Amino acid sequence: MASRSFSEEDLSCPVCCEIFKDPVVLLCSHSVCKDCLQKFWETKGSRECPVCRRRSSMEFPPSNLALKNLCESFSQERIQRSSTEPGNICSDHTEKLRLFCLDDLQPVCLVCRDSKKHTNHKFLPLQEAALDYKEELKTALKPLKEKLDVFKRFKLDLDRTADHIKTQARRTERQIKEEFEELHQFLRDEEAARISALREEEEQKSQTMKERIEKMSREISALSDTIRAVEEEMAAEDVPFLQNYKATVKRAQLTLQDPESLSGALLHVAKHLANLKFTVWEKMQQIIHF
């Protein structure tokens, strides 16, 4: 009964966005599905909260029994509500929907089966039809989930590349400064010019990388929404599931291109460091000669 004061969002895992299954609680007070937390830690390579990123000192956080009981009560109430919904009745004949027309892909009652509208049509019991089509959708979701994993791994590479760009910039800046320390004020002017060019390239490529990361995040979010929507349809009762089957299977057959490669993403370090002293020395000779 206590679950009635909570919404489905309140009882959803922040990682898988489903109703909590075996939730555990972290020291920061955030709760996560046990399996989701372990997979998240394996992906990140560190133990931190998926919500606030606070590091956890516990390798095996305790179960949140109170939350688990609330989720079980909520799920049970939802099942009971769905069993009494009017969607199980044929709108044409006010009879209970018992069959699924394989030609029209719609739930029908026994009167519908014998009507002219369904002459020579093939039928299956609702439960058998739901089981068969859920298996089809399950197969259709497999490449989407694989694509989601590809996108997530690629975004991780993007994040690492973005960090590496900044590391490259700092390291290159330090090398430039070390070489210019041997020169006089004229060389310091050259140093400032070189650093300016480096930072300009860093800003340009960091901006490009930021845009690619944002684009990848949007695609991951859209793909995750699609998968979640299809899985929600699959979790529905047989009648509403089969009623929405056409639209659901169309959504599940989404095709996406793989991410483009990271070619040319990093800084052109050689351009900033190659023959640095010689090039600057030539400029100095011109000034001295003049």
Side-chain angles (χ1 to χ4, degrees):
M1 298 298 291
S3 62
R4 292 179 179 174
S5 61
F6 292 86
S7 67
E8 183 170 348
E9 182 178 357
D10 295 328
L11 302 177
S12 296
C13 171
V15 176
C16 66
C17 300
E18 301 287 346
I19 299 298
F20 281 107
K21 298 176 182 176
D22 194 12
V24 295
V25 60
L26 300 172
L27 292 177
C28 58
S29 298
H30 290 122
S31 293
V32 188
C33 291
K34 182 179 180 180
D35 290 343
C36 292
L37 182 63
Q38 294 301 322
K39 292 178 181 178
F40 179 80
W41 283 357
E42 291 175 3
T43 301
K44 292 290 293 183
S46 62
R47 293 198 298 268
E48 60 183 44
C49 174
V51 179
C52 66
R53 305 302 184 188
R54 178 177 174 181
R55 293 187 65 84
S56 174
S57 59
M58 295 187 299
E59 183 176 359
F60 302 102
S63 297
N64 192 334
L65 296 179
L67 180 58
K68 181 178 181 181
N69 292 335
L70 282 174
C71 292
E72 291 177 350
S73 299
F74 181 85
S75 298
Q76 186 63 33
E77 289 179 8
R78 186 167 61 179
I79 292 173
Q80 292 175 355
R81 288 197 302 269
S82 64
S83 63
T84 60
E85 290 178 352
N88 293 332
I89 303 300
C90 175
S91 59
D92 294 330
H93 307 107
T94 64
E95 295 286 337
K96 187 173 182 180
L97 297 171
R98 299 180 182 275
L99 301 173
F100 186 73
C101 177
L102 300 181
D103 297 271
D104 294 336
L105 297 179
Q106 286 292 332
V108 297
C109 68
L110 296 179
V111 179
C112 291
R113 178 194 60 184
D114 299 330
S115 67
K116 292 182 179 180
K117 181 180 178 181
H118 294 279
T119 300
N120 297 325
H121 285 190
K122 296 181 179 179
F123 304 89
L124 277 179
L126 283 178
Q127 292 182 343
E128 291 185 21
L131 183 62
D132 289 345
Y133 287 122
K134 284 182 179 180
E135 285 299 319
E136 286 187 13
L137 285 175
K138 186 177 181 180
T139 302
L141 279 179
K142 184 176 180 180
L144 294 182
K145 291 183 176 181
E146 292 175 350
K147 184 72 70 174
L148 178 61
D149 289 338
V150 171
F151 281 10
K152 287 182 177 180
R153 289 195 297 269
F154 190 77
K155 182 179 180 296
L156 183 60
D157 289 340
L158 292 177
D159 291 335
R160 290 172 176 170
T161 302
D163 292 338
H164 190 55
I165 287 174
K166 295 183 180 299
T167 302
Q168 280 187 306
R170 301 289 83 77
R171 184 184 300 118
T172 307
E173 179 178 340
R174 183 171 61 253
Q175 292 174 348
I176 292 173
K177 288 183 177 181
E178 288 174 356
E179 295 197 24
F180 272 92
E181 286 177 0
E182 301 175 7
L183 307 175
H184 295 293
Q185 186 59 47
F186 166 76
L187 299 181
R188 296 190 183 279
D189 294 338
E190 289 291 327
E191 176 190 13
R194 294 271 178 158
I195 292 176
S196 177
L198 169 67
R199 288 178 175 171
E200 182 178 352
E201 183 182 2
E202 178 197 3
E203 180 179 357
Q204 178 184 356
K205 292 195 173 181
S206 292
Q207 179 62 30
T208 299
M209 194 57 56
K210 177 182 178 182
E211 292 172 358
R212 294 190 69 181
I213 291 174
E214 291 175 350
K215 178 182 177 182
M216 187 57 57
S217 296
R218 291 193 298 270
E219 292 182 353
I220 288 175
S221 177
L223 185 55
S224 298
D225 290 344
T226 298
I227 291 173
R228 182 165 56 255
V230 173
E231 289 179 336
E232 287 176 355
E233 289 294 337
M234 293 172 63
E237 289 297 306
D238 292 346
V239 173
F241 163 74
L242 294 171
Q243 288 173 334
N244 297 328
Y245 172 73
K246 288 183 179 179
T248 304
V249 75
K250 183 177 180 181
R251 174 179 288 179
Q253 292 172 346
L254 175 68
T255 57
L256 297 172
Q257 296 294 327
D258 287 336
E260 298 177 1
S261 66
L262 294 177
S263 177
L266 299 179
L267 296 179
H268 192 343
V269 176
K271 178 182 69 175
H272 298 286
L273 297 178
N275 299 323
L276 178 63
K277 291 184 179 179
F278 180 76
T279 303
V280 176
W281 173 247
E282 282 188 327
K283 291 184 179 180
M284 179 180 285
Q285 282 184 316
Q286 294 175 6
I287 295 176
I288 296 174
H289 177 72
F290 176 79

